[in-house]
Amino acid sequence: MNTKFHRLKEGDKVQGAEIVCECLVRQGIKIIFGYPGGANIPIYDALYRYPSLHHVLVRHEQGAAHAAEGYAWATGNVGVCFTTSGPGATNLVTGLADAMLDSVPLVCITGQVPSGLIGTDAFQETDVVGVTLPVTKHNYLITRPEEIVSVIHEAFYIASHGRPGPVLIDIAKDAQTGYAVFHYPRQQDYLKEKVKMKATDDEVVKITNLLNSAQKPLIVAGHGMLLSGDGKTLLAIAEKQDIPVTLTQLGLSTIPTNHRLYMGMPGMHGNVAANRAPNQCDVLLAVGMRFHDRVTGEVANYAPQAKIIHIDIDPSEIGKNVKPYLGVVGDAKTVLEQILPRLKSKKNQEWLSQFTAWKNEEKVKVFDKELKSKKLKSAQVVEMLSEETNNSATIVADVGQNQMYAARYYSYRSYNSHFTSGGLGTMGFALPAGMGAKSGDPEREVWIVIGDGGIQMTLQELATIVQEKLDLKIALLNNNYLGMVRQWQELFYKGNYSEVKLKNPNFQKLCEGFGIPSLKVTNQNDVRKAIRKARKTKGPYLVEFIVEAEENVFPMIPAGAGLDGMIVCKEDMKK
Amino acid sequence: MSRDLSNIIIWSKNKPGVFFRILWLFRRKRFNIESATVGHTEVPGITRFTITVTGDKDQVRNMCKQVHKLIDIVRVEDVPDEKLVSRELAMMKVGVKDKEEKAEILRVLEHFRARVMNMTKDSLVIEVTGSEEKIDAFYENMKDFQIIEFVRAGRTALYK
Ligand SMILES: Cc1ncc(C[n+]2csc(CCOP(=O)(O)OP(=O)(O)O)c2C)c(N)n1
Ligand SMILES: [Mg+2]
C-alpha cells in the first residue's frame, strides 16, 4: 500500500470525519464529487486537512452521482460522492438508480442529522437508508464513530466485487464529530464467498461441446464482458471459431467496431444483423448481459430455436428473463479463458455470408440515406466526429436519439470508450458523467454527445467544468425537440406532437455566460472545421449542431414487438 | 390455507433492517407473503426466517437468488415440504357461557391436543400447534363457539 498520503497512525484517537477521509485515502481515492451542507460539514472540515483528496464541487448532487459514475467507468475504480442530509441525499437518488441498473461501483457518503434527532423529523432529516434501499446494492446508517472504518472498508468491497453497484453510507453528524481510535481493518474474506468467478469443469465441457458442434453460433456480449477487463479473450474465441459477435449498448467498444466479426448492436435501435441473427442462430453465447427488454424485444419470441448459453456473474440473472439451455455463473472473461483452449478451430463462411447480406441491407436502407443526405443529420455529425478523433475518443452519450446516433455511428476502436445511461435512460447523465470521466482520466479525449433536452437537465455542471478547467468537448445535437419522444409520436401516435417542441435558449450566449467557447454549425461543410477548432482549443468547448429537426432513428423495434417486428426504415413501415 | 406453498428458509446476519430488506424485496418482485416467522438460531448472531409464498416455481427459485444477493443474507433455500417438519402455532380466545359449553370446548381441545393457557369465569385462551391443516380443522370445530380473538403465528420449520 502506498502510504504517502496517510495521515493517521494505528491507535490515533481522532474524529469520525477524519477517519472517513483517511479511509478514502487508503482506498486509493483521489477525487470526490460532492456538495457540503449542515449535516456533513465536519467531513468537509476534515477534508480541508487532506490535500491528496481532490474535491470537485458540483452544482447539484445528481451531478455528483453521475460524475462519480463517469469517473468509475473511465478508471475502473469506485466513484465517491459526498452530500449532506435531506435534500442533498435525495438529489442523489436518480444517480444511484442509474448506477444500480448499469452496475457502476459507487460509494456515496451522506451526512445525517445527529443520532439523537433521527426519527424526530428534524431539520433536513430524511430516512435516507429507507429511500435509497431499492436503488443501492447495499446501504448503511452509522451512528457511532467506531463503526466508520469497517463500514467504509466493507462498502468499497461490496461496490466493486461481483456485480458492481452503488453503496450508500449515511453518517450521523455526531458520529462525524465524535472521537474513535483508528484501526485499519484487514480484508474481510467472508464477503468473497458469495462471488463465483469460475465455471466448473463440467460447465466448461458443456459450453465447449455446444460451441464445437454449433453450425450457426452467435455471441451477444454486454457490460459484464466490458467490466471483466478486456475484449481480447472474447475476440480470440470469436476468431478461433469464426463466430459473429454482437455487443449490447453497454458492451460497445469491447471489440473494435471495424472488426470483420463485429456484427453490430442488438436491440430497439440496433443493427439489422444483430437483430436478425438471434432468431436464426443455433447456439447463442450470451456473456455478461441480462436479456434486457430493450435487447430482446418481446421475450417469448427471442431466439426460441437457439440453445442459449448464459454466462453471468450475477446468479439471479440466469433464468430471470430468458431461460437458458445452459446457465453458468462466473466472471465473463474468466469463464471465456477457461473454454478458449478447448475450442477447436472452425470456419463459418456460409453463416457469415448471411451477415454480409444483412449488413448490406442496412447499408442500402439506412446508412446510405443518412450519411448521403444533403441535410445535416446527426448520423453525419457522429461519423465525422469519429473520423476527426481517429475513432479513439471516449464518447459519453446522453439519452434519446442523440444516444442512438452515438452508439450507431461512432466507430469504437479503443477498449472501454463508450459510456452512457443504458438501464435507467437518464436524460442529463452525459454532462456530469463526461465531466467525471475526464477528471478521472485526463489522458482521454472525452466528447459528450447530448441533445438539447438532456443538456438542460444538468446544465449547471457547465460551471463545474469551467471551475475544474476540464479539457472536455461537447457535441450538442440540437433538433429543438425531445426528439426520441417526437419520433414515437410521429410513428405510433398519429403524428400528434404533444409537448415535445422546445423553445431553447441561445446556447452560444449561455456558454458565454459560463465562460465556455462555442460554435454553432448549421450545415455539413462546417462540421469538420468546428470539430477541429474544438479539439485545438484547450479547455472546454461546445459545438452546437443544428440537425434536421424531424429525423428518425432506424431500424426500430417498436416497444412490445419481437425481433421479427423490426422496422428497418420508414418506407418498410408503410408496407 | 396451505395451498401450493413454497417454503423459503433464510439465514441472515442479525443486523438492523434485515427483515425490512427481505420484505421489501418480496414486495418488489411482486410476491405475496403468506406467512413469515423469524427468530434466533443455534448459531449466535444468525437469524432464521421461514417464509411461505405462493407462486410459480421458477419465480420462487429466482426469488431465492435475489434474496441471496442481499449483503446480510448468509444462505437461502427453497425447501420442498417432504424435507421439512413444519409447525404452526395458533392462539384463540373463546367466550364461555356456562359449564356445559366449557365441557364441550374442552372436548374439542383434547381432540386437537390444544392447551388452555388462561382461564377466567367467562373465557379461555387456548394454544394449539400443528400443521396448517390441523389448525384449519381446529378452527372449523371451534367456529360454533364464541371466538373473541384468533391469531396464527405462521409456519416455522426444521429439516427432517
Ligand atoms: C430524466 C428523463 N426524463 C424523461 C425521459 C424520457 N425521454 C427519453 S428520450 C427523451 C427526449 C430527449 O430529448 P433530447 O435530449 O433533445 O434528445 P433527442 O432525442 O432530441 O436527441 C425523453 C423526454 C428520460 N429518458 N429521462
Ligand atoms: Mg432534441
Side-chain angles (χ1 to χ4, degrees), chain A residues 79 85 107-108 170 198 204 207 209 234 277 284 297 322 362 389 537:
Chain A
S85 65
V107 168
C108 296
D170 199 26
K198 285 173 84 170
V204 171
I207 303 173
N209 287 347
L234 178 70
L284 191 156
V322 164
E362 187 167 1
T389 55
T537 312

Side-chain angles (χ1 to χ4, degrees), chain A residues 133-134 137-139 158 163 190-191 194 314-316 318 320 323, chain B residues 13 15 20-21 24 58 62 65-66 68-74:
Chain A
L133 184 139
K137 189 172 170 189
H138 194 53
N139 60 13
I158 291 169
R163 181 177 179 172
Y190 67 90
L191 288 164
K194 279 204 173 179
D314 179 349
S316 71
I318 311 278
K320 185 183 84 177
K323 224 176 176 174
Chain B
K13 282 182 240 154
K15 293 255 181 98
F20 176 52
R21 288 175 200 276
W24 163 77
D58 281 338
N62 188 257
K65 295 188 200 165
Q66 300 282 350
H68 190 64
K69 279 200 325 187
L70 295 174
I71 301 299
D72 295 328
I73 301 303
V74 179

Side-chain angles (χ1 to χ4, degrees), chain A residues 83-384:
Chain A
T83 81
T84 190
S85 65
T90 56
N91 276 348
L92 277 179
V93 170
T94 302
L96 292 171
D98 194 274
M100 187 69 181
L101 280 178
D102 284 351
S103 311
V104 185
L106 302 184
V107 168
C108 296
I109 298 179
T110 52
Q112 181 55 278
V113 301
S115 55
L117 290 179
I118 293 176
T120 67
D121 303 323
F123 177 64
Q124 294 195 326
E125 188 201 354
T126 302
D127 173 17
V128 174
V129 166
V131 168
T132 61
L133 184 139
V135 292
T136 51
K137 189 172 170 189
H138 194 53
N139 60 13
Y140 302 85
L141 171 65
I142 294 183
T143 52
R144 295 183 312 122
E146 296 78 26
E147 300 164 28
I148 292 174
V149 168
S150 60
V151 167
I152 293 186
H153 197 73
E154 189 175 291
F156 273 88
Y157 188 88
I158 291 169
S160 57
H161 282 72
R163 181 177 179 172
V167 178
L168 181 135
I169 309 173
D170 199 26
I171 310 183
K173 195 171 177 181
D174 51 332
Q176 300 168 33
T177 53
Y179 283 78
V181 178
F182 178 77
H183 283 300
Y184 203 62
R186 297 181 189 288
Q187 196 54 50
Q188 286 160 322
D189 287 329
Y190 67 90
L191 288 164
K192 250 185 230 155
E193 293 160 18
K194 279 204 173 179
V195 184
K196 173 173 173 275
M197 296 289 281
K198 285 173 84 170
T200 62
D201 293 344
D202 180 49
E203 287 167 343
V204 171
V205 170
K206 281 186 180 147
I207 303 173
T208 323
N209 287 347
L210 279 165
L211 286 176
N212 281 342
S213 59
Q215 306 287 310
K216 297 171 167 187
L218 174 71
I219 291 174
V220 187
H223 196 196
M225 192 68 237
L226 192 67
L227 282 172
S228 75
D230 81 70
K232 293 199 189 84
T233 321
L234 178 70
L235 256 192
I237 285 179
E239 283 169 350
K240 195 157 183 189
Q241 299 211 324
D242 243 7
I243 309 177
V245 179
T246 63
L247 299 173
T248 68
Q249 188 186 23
L250 292 193
L252 290 178
S253 80
T254 302
I255 69 167
T257 303
N258 63 337
H259 191 278
R260 72 175 178 93
L261 289 172
Y262 180 62
M263 301 305 173
M265 172 180 83
M268 183 172 266
H269 289 293
N271 296 103
V272 170
N275 281 333
R276 292 253 163 86
N279 283 6
Q280 299 210 10
C281 64
D282 59 355
V283 173
L284 191 156
L285 178 65
V287 41
M289 57 83 77
R290 59 188 177 102
F291 297 106
H292 189 257
D293 54 277
R294 286 293 194 259
V295 165
T296 61
E298 190 202 10
V299 72
N301 283 325
Y302 183 80
Q305 81 298 335
K307 287 184 173 155
I308 295 176
I309 308 167
H310 189 189
I311 303 171
D312 201 279
I313 200 161
D314 179 349
S316 71
E317 287 300 344
I318 311 278
K320 185 183 84 177
N321 295 338
V322 164
K323 224 176 176 174
Y325 180 81
L326 174 64
V328 175
V329 177
D331 168 67
K333 184 180 157 200
T334 310
V335 176
L336 293 190
E337 276 171 348
Q338 286 176 278
I339 60 173
L340 178 60
R342 295 166 155 267
L343 291 181
K344 61 179 194 208
S345 297
K346 283 200 294 185
K347 285 271 165 272
N348 259 325
Q349 263 330 308
E350 204 180 322
W351 174 226
L352 288 177
S353 65
Q354 177 67 70
F355 286 78
T356 313
W358 286 328
K359 280 187 163 179
N360 200 45
E361 179 185 351
E362 187 167 1
K363 180 177 182 305
V364 173
K365 288 184 173 172
V366 186
F367 293 133
D368 284 351
K369 274 196 258 174
E370 292 290 324
L371 297 172
K372 290 181 182 157
S373 163
K374 291 278 174 288
K375 297 183 188 144
L376 181 57
K377 299 283 229 160
S378 297
Q380 298 166 359
V381 173
V382 174
E383 201 208 26
M384 284 190 256

Side-chain angles (χ1 to χ4, degrees), chain A residues 62 94 378 398-405 424-428 450-457 476-487 499-500 502 504 547 549 551 553:
Chain A
Q62 183 187 351
T94 302
S378 297
D398 204 62
V399 169
Q401 292 182 319
N402 61 86
Q403 178 184 36
M404 294 305 141
Y405 291 120
L424 196 65
T426 311
M427 282 173 70
I450 193 165
D452 47 316
I455 198 171
Q456 293 182 70
M457 288 230 166
L476 170 60
L477 300 178
N478 185 0
N479 49 18
N480 289 299
Y481 271 117
L482 297 175
M484 187 55 93
V485 181
R486 187 208 56 73
Q487 172 169 347
E499 300 302 322
V500 288
L502 295 173
N504 281 318
V547 293
E551 58 179 348
V553 189

